[in-house]
Amino acid sequence: MLHAHLPFVREPKHERFLEENWLFEAISETYLPLIQVLNRLLEKGLPGVLNLSLSPTLIEMCQDPLLIHRYSKHLYMQLELIEKEMFLLKKDSQKMVVLRYYLQRQKSLIHTWENTCQKNLISTFIKMEELGILTILTCVGTHPFLPAYQSDLESIRFQLKVTVASYKKAFGRNPKGLWLPECGYFEGLDFILKEFGFEYFFLETHGILFAEPAPQYGVFSPIKTPAGLYCMGRDQKSSAEVWSRKTGYPGHPEYREFFKDIAFERDRDYLGEYFFAENTPIETGLKYNRITGSEQKQVYRPWNAMRLAQNHANLFISNREASFTDLFPHTKGHQAAILSPYDAELFGHWWFEGPIFIENLFERAAASPILELASVEEVMRSPLSSTVHKPVFSSWGEGGYSHVWMNEKVQSFYSQFFTMQAFFRNTHSLKPSVLLKRIQTQMMREILLFQASDWAFMVHNGSADAYAKSRFQEHYENVLKLYDLTRSKEPDLKLLETMENKNNLFAWIGELF
């Protein structure tokens, strides 16, 4: 199962913005390659289903006309740079092999974006689901770490209300399955999920293994919660084969090196202003090295890497077959299930060959006599036991609980959240008007964006932490300014319009309160 999520980033006043490139990279390196893979699998008639959760913020960005226009330009700017590189390196036979591969790949991406998808990823995913190769789930609102908001359950309920509305508007039906942001769970959350019609969700391994009573089949079958929902836990063995920094497949020296992009090797005049945000280089996606071990990285060999991805897919399925063989004597002849969830962006963005790995998983699994790649819908309908279990507080972050998102580095931001909530609720005592509704609507957008777990993660990890802190502060200050507008005799409508234009997600959100 792949969890596809990105924080909402949209900067209309800047022609080029560094963090918008997160979306462009994910589309070029993960989402479009994934669509290409699924199309090839459909053409071959291979059985199997891939499960994909799409966060509401990602859905919004993939349907935003400004971001769609900018991404379309991005594809051609990359193509132009590849062609420039081919002239520059025409005498470098090794790198020319990589460049010829990049050139054909880029033309294929443009064709997929413009012709296959018609610049609409969401409608393309819907078609894939209709063809039976994809199951589409969702995630919570703006991706908040829910255990951090236990003292304000109404804020959790509103995030879930947004979740259901977003999914229904995108896919024409209510969602059944839910990926909890960061797998964050606390006791009683299942009852709140039930209020919104959810039927199943997923947890980190210990959220299931430490459940009361302990599940007889561990993480290898869904368990029933006190609220009557089903949930399932991540299999650590299959996760480690991909995720582990020391032994995971993506760390093999033959795969493409992620951290050596030509944005940091060419001068500004050569790259052009498009690949700069003020004085900061923006990654181009052109990388010539394979991981190897030393500082003197060796040149990437695409075909060797693709073949290796095939071998690793074969190994992955062989290991799952061995796990099932061990499980069968303990399941009394019934089917067992292994849940292998990953961030979608791992496949293609972080691990460039990841989509090829997925394609070969399907091919290898199709030939397996004992396993199949199943839809979560099918698995959740067939638990091995009807016993009720109470899952425990857990997450899939470092340490397995809450430290990544609730620590001394970010604790002050949670107090700001409750301040914003208080200001928003105070506006309900004011005389209703069309303008007040607009202000309240934008206040709620700012509060929801403030809650994204991405910001706390970045601060904790020290990755783009300055940007993350600026987002916390921006949304907090915006709420205060919006509250001031409600008290002003002559409110500054330009200020309101600026916020509405930038943070414009969930155009329908005013209907929810």
Side-chain angles (χ1 to χ4, degrees), residues 445-462:
R445 289 193 185 104
E446 304 292 340
I447 292 171
L448 291 173
L449 288 169
F450 182 97
Q451 288 182 282
S453 68
D454 310 84
W455 316 135
F457 177 84
M458 292 175 193
V459 172
H460 172 74
N461 279 11

Side-chain angles (χ1 to χ4, degrees), residues 45 51 59-60 90 170 177 252 262 348 506:
N51 302 285
I59 291 171
E60 287 286 308
K90 58 187 176 183
H252 192 285
I262 68 166
F506 309 140

Side-chain angles (χ1 to χ4, degrees), residues 37-325:
V37 163
L38 294 177
N39 272 322
R40 289 195 294 269
L41 294 171
L42 285 166
E43 289 170 4
K44 295 173 185 176
L46 287 168
V49 178
L50 182 69
N51 302 285
L52 177 69
S53 76
L54 297 169
S55 73
T57 51
L58 180 59
I59 291 171
E60 287 286 308
M61 288 190 290
C62 287
Q63 296 179 319
D64 186 281
L66 174 67
L67 295 175
I68 290 171
H69 171 75
R70 288 183 172 181
Y71 175 67
S72 297
K73 176 183 177 181
H74 177 76
L75 282 172
Y76 283 96
M77 294 301 292
Q78 284 182 310
L79 179 61
E80 183 181 305
L81 184 59
I82 292 169
E83 292 169 342
K84 187 185 289 189
E85 283 285 290
M86 294 189 80
F87 181 79
L88 178 70
L89 300 174
K90 58 187 176 183
K91 294 183 180 180
D92 188 329
S93 60
Q94 284 188 308
K95 289 185 178 177
M96 280 300 293
V97 171
V98 185
L99 273 169
R100 282 192 287 270
Y101 164 70
Y102 281 150
L103 179 64
Q104 295 306 315
R105 180 181 183 277
Q106 193 70 16
K107 290 178 179 179
S108 175
L109 289 175
I110 291 171
H111 177 80
T112 301
W113 172 247
E114 294 180 348
N115 300 100
T116 305
C117 299
Q118 297 183 324
K119 302 182 181 181
N120 191 328
L121 292 176
I122 303 305
S123 66
T124 306
F125 285 136
I126 291 172
K127 290 174 186 175
M128 296 289 179
E129 186 173 52
E130 290 172 349
L131 291 168
I133 199 167
L134 196 64
T135 296
I136 302 174
L137 300 84
T138 190
C139 184
V140 180
T142 55
H143 211 265
F145 182 62
L146 296 181
Y149 298 97
Q150 294 179 67
S151 59
D152 189 351
L153 295 181
E154 287 311 306
S155 72
I156 293 177
R157 287 188 170 92
F158 193 79
Q159 284 274 7
L160 290 168
K161 191 181 289 188
V162 168
T163 304
V164 173
S166 169
Y167 190 90
K168 190 170 185 178
K169 289 181 183 297
F171 303 107
R173 64 183 190 276
N174 288 334
K176 295 180 181 178
L178 186 69
W179 180 263
L180 296 176
E182 321 298 358
C183 287
Y185 180 83
F186 60 89
E187 185 177 338
L189 178 57
D190 55 326
F191 285 93
I192 301 176
L193 300 181
K194 186 177 182 179
E195 293 175 22
F196 294 87
F198 290 104
E199 298 176 8
Y200 58 88
F201 58 98
F202 304 90
L203 293 180
E204 178 54 292
T205 314
H206 55 286
I208 298 291
L209 294 184
F210 296 162
E212 298 178 0
Q216 180 180 357
Y217 302 105
V219 296
F220 300 110
S221 175
I223 64 169
K224 189 175 184 180
T225 77
L229 277 67
Y230 289 96
C231 66
M232 195 171 176
R234 174 165 69 153
D235 168 54
Q236 285 291 333
K237 209 170 181 181
S238 60
S239 291
E241 288 180 28
V242 177
W243 274 124
S244 173
R245 291 183 180 181
K246 293 182 178 179
T247 61
Y249 305 142
H252 192 285
E254 193 65 44
Y255 288 132
R256 193 179 79 160
E257 170 63 65
F258 175 81
F259 293 102
K260 287 182 70 67
D261 189 284
I262 68 166
F264 308 105
E265 299 168 359
R266 305 283 186 265
D267 61 38
R268 186 168 189 153
D269 289 340
Y270 175 85
L271 288 171
E273 290 305 306
Y274 181 78
F275 290 103
F276 276 82
E278 295 182 346
N279 293 319
T280 303
I282 299 178
E283 293 206 8
T284 67
L286 298 185
K287 306 168 195 280
Y288 292 120
N289 299 105
R290 58 188 194 265
I291 292 173
T292 51
S294 64
E295 287 300 312
Q296 296 298 317
K297 302 287 185 181
Q298 297 176 27
V299 175
Y300 180 55
R301 301 183 294 191
W303 320 124
N304 295 49
M306 301 305 168
R307 181 58 183 266
L308 180 64
Q310 181 181 18
N311 293 341
H312 278 148
N314 291 339
L315 178 60
F316 185 91
I317 295 297
S318 294
N319 289 340
R320 302 293 74 73
E321 288 175 329
S323 294
F324 278 122
T325 300

Side-chain angles (χ1 to χ4, degrees), residues 476-494:
Y476 176 67
E477 291 178 359
N478 282 355
V479 168
L480 299 189
K481 290 173 184 175
L482 288 165
Y483 183 72
D484 287 342
L485 292 185
T486 68
R487 320 290 291 186
S488 173
K489 293 181 180 179
E490 297 182 4
D492 183 354
L493 296 184
K494 287 186 178 179

